[in-house]
Amino acid sequence: MEAAILILALLFVAFVALGVYVSVKVIGAAKRGVERTVTQARRTVEETTLRAKSYGQGGVAGELAQLRLSLRTSMRATQDALHAGAAEDASLSESICLFQRLSAHGHELDDELKRLEREPDRATVASLLPGLRERTERITRSAESLRWAARDRARKFADDDLDALSTQIDVEAGALRHWSGAETAEPEAAAASWPQAGGTGGAGGGVDGGGDRVAEQTWPEAGAGVGPGQTVAEQPQAITAPDPRQQTSYPWQKTARPETTN
């Protein structure tokens, strides 16, 4: 009895622990989903604001917004391209590591540009713009180099796969044409196997109206023609001893008696 109670207690504790574990996982996944949604919404709002500032404002504020927008767009496009290619090409892992190091510089520059947007001393900010513009161009150029290299590599693999597939399709198409030619030749061979004229089942042999089979007609060989003034019946035949087994007996014929010595 005590053993059964202990087992039930252990099962209860196990179910409670499993429920807590599942609840923590579900809550964590929901929290990450909410954070991802909030981050994406904040990013969308911020980029919309930057576009509005870059197009609607001039001077230092507009240029700062344009630099931030260019930096963020280039870095995000490179990140998406590398992660999409890494799922099919493991050799891009080194490129992803390099991009992560580049992202650190990009985030640092973005934070600096964001702080300068709130700087009231526009003259100082204007003096810093050439250096900020150069840093932005260097980071975006490096990001674009990684992005286009990954895209060129993926396109090269796709072209190689397409070339191999085209070669296989050409070989298969040739094989199909070969076999189709052999199949079209089969009916011609079958047509040549019909019996020739004068053979069994031809004009000389058949079935009469009563259903009895008519004797086959044997045509005379070449050189065995009918002489002048003779019919087929009068044509001389070869002298051959008659076979008694093949002679037809009729009921009115008498049986030949054996000769006696009397």
Side-chain angles (χ1 to χ4, degrees), residues 82-83 85-100 146 153:
L82 291 178
H83 284 287
E88 300 178 356
D89 188 3
S91 61
L92 291 178
S93 58
E94 182 66 23
S95 300
I96 293 177
C97 294
L98 293 175
F99 176 75
Q100 290 176 352
L146 285 175
R153 183 179 179 86

Coordinates of all heavy atoms in Angstrom, one line a residue, residues 82-83 85-100 146 153:
L82 N 22.7 36.9 -46.2 CA 23.6 36.0 -45.6 C 22.9 34.8 -44.9 O 23.2 33.7 -45.0 CB 24.6 36.7 -44.7 CG 25.6 37.6 -45.4 CD1 26.5 38.3 -44.3 CD2 26.5 36.8 -46.4
H83 N 21.9 35.2 -44.1 CA 21.2 34.1 -43.4 C 20.4 33.3 -44.3 O 20.2 32.1 -44.0 CB 20.3 34.8 -42.3 CG 21.0 35.3 -41.1 ND1 21.6 34.5 -40.2 CD2 21.3 36.6 -40.7 CE1 22.2 35.2 -39.2 NE2 22.0 36.5 -39.5
G85 N 21.2 32.5 -47.4 CA 22.2 31.6 -48.1 C 22.8 30.6 -47.2 O 23.2 29.5 -47.6
A86 N 23.0 31.0 -45.9 CA 23.6 30.0 -44.9 C 22.8 28.8 -44.7 O 23.3 27.7 -44.4 CB 23.9 30.7 -43.6
A87 N 21.5 28.8 -45.0 CA 20.6 27.7 -44.8 C 21.0 26.6 -45.8 O 20.7 25.4 -45.6 CB 19.2 28.1 -44.9
E88 N 21.5 27.0 -47.0 CA 21.8 26.1 -48.1 C 23.3 25.9 -48.3 O 23.8 24.9 -48.9 CB 21.2 26.5 -49.4 CG 19.7 26.6 -49.3 CD 19.0 27.1 -50.6 OE1 19.8 27.4 -51.5 OE2 17.8 27.1 -50.7
D89 N 24.1 26.9 -47.8 CA 25.6 26.9 -48.1 C 26.3 27.1 -46.7 O 26.3 28.2 -46.2 CB 26.0 27.9 -49.1 CG 27.4 27.8 -49.5 OD1 28.1 26.9 -49.0 OD2 27.9 28.7 -50.3
A90 N 26.9 26.0 -46.2 CA 27.5 26.2 -44.9 C 28.8 27.0 -44.9 O 29.3 27.5 -43.9 CB 27.8 24.8 -44.3
S91 N 29.3 27.2 -46.1 CA 30.6 28.0 -46.2 C 30.4 29.4 -45.9 O 31.4 30.2 -45.8 CB 31.2 27.8 -47.6 OG 30.3 28.2 -48.6
L92 N 29.1 29.9 -45.8 CA 28.9 31.3 -45.5 C 28.9 31.6 -44.0 O 28.7 32.8 -43.7 CB 27.5 31.7 -46.0 CG 27.3 31.7 -47.6 CD1 25.8 32.1 -47.9 CD2 28.2 32.7 -48.2
S93 N 29.3 30.6 -43.2 CA 29.4 30.9 -41.8 C 30.5 31.9 -41.5 O 30.3 32.8 -40.6 CB 29.6 29.6 -41.0 OG 30.8 29.0 -41.5
E94 N 31.6 31.8 -42.2 CA 32.7 32.8 -42.0 C 32.2 34.2 -42.4 O 32.6 35.2 -41.7 CB 33.9 32.4 -42.8 CG 35.1 33.3 -42.7 CD 35.7 33.2 -41.2 OE1 35.4 32.2 -40.5 OE2 36.3 34.2 -40.8
S95 N 31.4 34.3 -43.5 CA 30.9 35.6 -43.9 C 30.0 36.2 -42.9 O 30.0 37.4 -42.6 CB 30.2 35.5 -45.3 OG 31.1 35.0 -46.3
I96 N 29.2 35.3 -42.2 CA 28.3 35.8 -41.2 C 29.1 36.3 -40.0 O 28.7 37.3 -39.4 CB 27.3 34.6 -40.8 CG1 26.4 34.3 -41.9 CG2 26.5 35.0 -39.5 CD1 25.5 33.2 -41.6
C97 N 30.2 35.6 -39.6 CA 31.0 36.1 -38.5 C 31.6 37.5 -38.9 O 31.6 38.4 -38.0 CB 32.1 35.1 -38.3 SG 31.6 33.6 -37.6
L98 N 32.1 37.7 -40.1 CA 32.6 39.0 -40.5 C 31.5 40.0 -40.5 O 31.7 41.2 -40.1 CB 33.2 38.9 -41.9 CG 34.5 38.0 -42.0 CD1 34.9 37.9 -43.5 CD2 35.6 38.6 -41.2
F99 N 30.3 39.6 -40.9 CA 29.2 40.6 -40.9 C 28.8 41.0 -39.5 O 28.4 42.2 -39.2 CB 28.0 40.0 -41.6 CG 26.8 40.9 -41.5 CD1 26.7 42.1 -42.3 CD2 25.7 40.6 -40.7 CE1 25.6 42.9 -42.3 CE2 24.6 41.4 -40.6 CZ 24.5 42.6 -41.4
Q100 N 28.9 40.1 -38.5 CA 28.6 40.4 -37.1 C 29.6 41.5 -36.6 O 29.2 42.4 -35.9 CB 28.6 39.2 -36.3 CG 27.5 38.2 -36.5 CD 27.5 36.9 -35.8 OE1 28.6 36.7 -35.1 NE2 26.5 36.1 -35.8
L146 N 29.8 41.9 -49.2 CA 29.4 40.6 -48.7 C 28.1 40.1 -49.3 O 27.9 39.0 -49.6 CB 29.3 40.6 -47.1 CG 30.6 40.7 -46.3 CD1 30.3 40.9 -44.8 CD2 31.4 39.4 -46.5
R153 N 27.5 33.8 -55.4 CA 27.8 32.4 -55.1 C 26.5 31.5 -55.3 O 26.6 30.5 -55.9 CB 28.3 32.3 -53.7 CG 28.7 30.8 -53.3 CD 29.3 30.8 -51.9 NE 29.6 29.5 -51.5 CZ 30.8 28.9 -51.7 NH1 31.7 29.6 -52.4 NH2 31.1 27.7 -51.3

